Amino acid sequence: MDSPQMDRNPSPPPDRADGTGEEDDAIGETVYSKHWLFSTLTRLIQMVTEQDSEEGEGLIELSDELEEELCKVWDMAMNKDVAGFLQEFKTPDILLGVIAKSRNPRLTEICVGILGNMACFPDTCVFVSQNDGLGAVLLLLLGDSDPPTLLETCRLLLTCVSQADVAPLWLERIQQQTATCSSLCFIMRSSTNVELLIKVGELVDKLFDEDEELMKSWLSGPPRESDEDKDTDQDVASALLEAAVQLRKESPKALEAYLHALQLLTTVDEGLQYLVSDRGCGVSVWKLVCEVVCEDLCQPDDPPLILQEQKALLAPALALLSALYTNLQTNISSALVASLLRILYFDDENQLGEESRHESGDGKADGERDVQLQVLAEIAAELLSTLLTDVPMEVVSELVKMDQLTEKIWVSALKTLLPQHNTSVLCFISTLTEVEPKLADVIKKECSITSDSNEPKPEPT
């Protein structure tokens, strides 16, 4: 059965059985009944007790009626007053007992979902997180085979790791629980559930962002002897890559967390060296990211404003390519150079439009440049300048034959490289002069580059 939609307001539970709706029965400022909530949780406890006393291997049965009531509790836990009331009632302890005994995937999913909603509020998140037994069980649940349960478990863990007060506690637990990396890698390698893959990617990205040492320890690990019969390949880089390949078929935007996690690996020497080593997947990562940048993002028929929508994905993608390029010594594609030229041109057009709107009183205050776009432009300029220094003549020939690359785009993009990347521009102009002297002359004129000087002239004031 599918999980209930979490973006709707839950229906109020029934009034008290005696027909009264006394104000003191309401939870906080809500219309939810304390009596009804007590009754539902009591029924859950009774079910646990009865089934546990019978022969069998845990809780299997869950009536439709109790499932519906528990789903109402799940929805209600999105309310701060209800979450606080559940805390007072020691609900995490109750749910821990149920999860530990449950053999019913739907029941486990609902219990973890309730905890996930409770953890959305700082106070209740601290309360949930301080339960060491619950923390251990939740990490073990990452080895579960039920996608909805895995989704709710990852959502809960991401919520907790994202809250500063409890993040260190969870990071320590995850570091100590060596199976966590293998479990997440297995999900990324084997799952086709888009929602689950997105949430796992967000969780891994957050863990890497919060704890560099944890990231280093996850770069590669040997299989555990106790799991010889399972897929225990703990190469987190290749697992991230496999999930990204799967997600690209569904939605490029969903790749953001995965590309950022891979990019974070390149920020430490151990990660970068592992990726570009013979046993690493750096070449495959380069190929995928180039395809995403060149085929999925910022296309010739897109408006310049597309950068605003795609900046969060383009920035880690280009940073990843920039980190890998020098070490891989891969061939330069004309498509990648064209994409970088277009990105810088679009950014320049956006800035001109913003200046125009500011002058008319509709834009941002002077100096309020979009920080993310600025970072993206800087990364793109750095990568383009590196490629232009090495670009072979045959690639330049391919570039000048592209109808999409107008003189305006060439001039606009190359201007952004000056004066910081003078050497790269001059090196490229030298090659371009041999291939297409007319275009080279236009660029030199518009960028104030003289043939007898190694430095561009300053712009006239």
Side-chain angles (χ1 to χ4, degrees):
M1 185 178 296
D2 293 334
S3 303
Q5 293 297 317
M6 300 306 293
D7 57 354
R8 65 175 176 83
N9 292 322
S11 302
D15 288 335
R16 292 181 55 169
D18 57 10
T20 62
E22 291 94 338
E23 187 174 337
D24 61 358
D25 184 50
I27 300 174
E29 299 298 320
T30 74
V31 296
Y32 303 131
S33 164
K34 295 178 183 177
H35 177 85
W36 179 87
L37 190 53
F38 274 128
S39 175
T40 301
L41 292 175
T42 299
R43 288 178 61 198
L44 178 61
I45 295 171
Q46 288 174 342
M47 185 193 74
V48 172
T49 305
E50 291 171 2
Q51 291 195 23
D52 193 37
S53 64
E54 298 174 358
E55 292 184 5
E57 297 183 354
L59 306 181
I60 299 176
E61 296 182 5
L62 178 63
S63 68
D64 291 343
E65 180 185 359
L66 183 55
E67 178 182 339
E68 183 179 348
E69 302 297 90
L70 289 173
C71 284
K72 289 179 181 177
V73 177
W74 186 355
D75 282 349
M76 289 165 59
M78 296 175 69
N79 179 278
K80 184 177 181 180
D81 289 338
V82 174
F85 184 74
L86 289 171
Q87 173 183 329
E88 293 177 15
F89 197 57
K90 302 291 192 292
T91 302
D93 287 332
I94 297 173
L95 298 180
L96 170 59
V98 176
I99 293 169
K101 298 178 183 297
S102 174
R103 296 297 181 274
N104 184 303
R106 179 60 170 158
L107 178 59
T108 305
E109 175 201 359
I110 293 170
C111 290
V112 179
I114 293 170
L115 292 167
N117 281 354
M118 290 180 65
C120 291
F121 308 100
D123 291 344
T124 44
C125 185
V126 170
F127 185 78
V128 169
S129 299
Q130 288 174 341
N131 190 321
D132 290 330
L134 180 59
V137 167
L138 288 171
L139 292 181
L140 291 175
L141 276 181
L142 290 174
D144 200 272
S145 59
D146 181 55
T149 297
L150 289 171
L151 176 60
E152 291 307 316
T153 303
C154 289
R155 185 175 74 90
L156 171 54
L157 293 175
L158 178 60
T159 299
C160 292
V161 175
S162 299
Q163 298 204 28
D165 290 341
V166 298
L169 175 60
W170 283 101
L171 290 168
E172 182 180 357
R173 284 174 179 157
I174 292 169
Q175 184 74 275
Q176 292 174 350
Q177 178 52 271
T178 55
T180 302
C181 179
S182 293
S183 296
L184 292 174
C185 285
F186 181 77
I187 296 170
M188 289 188 285
R189 289 182 182 281
S190 60
S191 179
T192 57
N193 184 303
V194 174
E195 281 189 276
L196 177 57
L197 286 177
I198 291 174
K199 195 57 64 178
V200 169
E202 291 174 350
L203 176 58
V204 174
D205 182 35
K206 186 63 178 178
L207 292 174
F208 284 5
D209 209 16
E210 291 289 326
D211 193 333
E212 186 176 289
E213 292 305 313
L214 174 69
M215 177 175 69
K216 290 179 182 178
S217 71
W218 279 17
L219 280 170
S220 180
R224 298 188 307 282
E225 293 181 2
S226 59
D227 290 337
E228 289 180 352
D229 58 331
K230 296 182 180 180
D231 179 0
T232 54
D233 189 348
Q234 197 172 297
D235 180 0
V236 70
S238 63
L240 287 165
L241 173 62
E242 286 190 39
V245 171
Q246 174 69 28
L247 278 177
R248 186 187 173 213
K249 302 173 186 175
E250 306 294 337
S251 170
K253 186 171 177 58
L255 293 177
E256 183 181 330
Y258 282 91
L259 296 189
H260 190 253
L262 285 166
Q263 187 257 321
L264 285 173
L265 286 176
T266 68
T267 62
V268 295
D269 289 339
E270 297 90 336
L272 183 57
Q273 293 309 312
Y274 181 77
L275 280 171
V276 300
S277 68
D278 292 338
R279 62 195 181 110
C281 57
V283 173
S284 297
V285 171
W286 171 273
K287 180 181 178 182
L288 171 69
V289 178
C290 278
E291 289 177 355
V292 170
V293 171
C294 299
E295 299 174 15
D296 302 340
L297 305 175
C298 197
Q299 295 301 294
D301 54 350
D302 287 331
L305 283 174
I306 196 69
L307 283 188
Q308 188 69 40
E309 178 184 332
Q310 298 178 349
K311 61 186 178 183
L313 182 54
L314 276 167
L318 297 186
L320 185 53
L321 291 177
S322 186
L324 290 174
Y325 174 71
T326 304
N327 292 273
L328 288 177
Q329 294 297 310
T330 186
N331 293 331
I332 300 173
S333 73
S334 57
L336 178 57
V337 175
S339 290
L340 293 170
L341 290 167
R342 191 159 52 247
I343 289 169
L344 291 175
Y345 166 69
F346 280 3
D347 181 63
D348 190 44
E349 288 293 291
N350 285 333
Q351 288 190 71
L352 291 173
E354 194 61 47
E355 290 174 7
S356 176
R357 287 189 291 274
H358 171 63
E359 290 174 0
S360 64
D362 297 328
K364 294 181 180 179
D366 197 20
E368 289 186 31
R369 169 93 157 100
D370 185 301
V371 176
Q372 282 187 298
L373 282 178
Q374 183 174 349
V375 170
L376 170 60
E378 290 172 357
I379 296 172
E382 187 69 36
L383 178 56
L384 179 60
S385 68
T386 302
L387 297 182
L388 290 183
T389 303
D390 302 331
V391 65
M393 190 171 296
E394 58 268 25
V395 172
V396 176
S397 297
E398 292 174 9
L399 288 166
V400 298
K401 293 176 183 177
M402 292 182 178
D403 294 335
Q404 56 177 281
L405 293 179
T406 63
E407 288 183 356
K408 185 177 182 181
I409 292 177
W410 279 106
V411 171
S412 174
L414 293 181
K415 265 189 175 182
T416 65
L417 301 184
L418 301 172
Q420 185 175 358
H421 303 289
N422 290 344
T423 303
S424 296
V425 173
L426 292 170
C427 182
F428 174 73
I429 291 295
S430 176
T431 305
L432 182 61
T433 300
E434 298 184 46
V435 176
E436 186 61 49
K438 290 183 178 179
L439 177 59
D441 288 341
V442 169
I443 294 173
K444 286 192 287 186
K445 179 180 178 182
E446 294 296 325
C447 294
S448 302
I449 299 174
T450 59
S451 57
D452 58 349
S453 173
N454 289 328
E455 296 292 334
K457 288 183 178 181
E459 291 288 336
T461 57

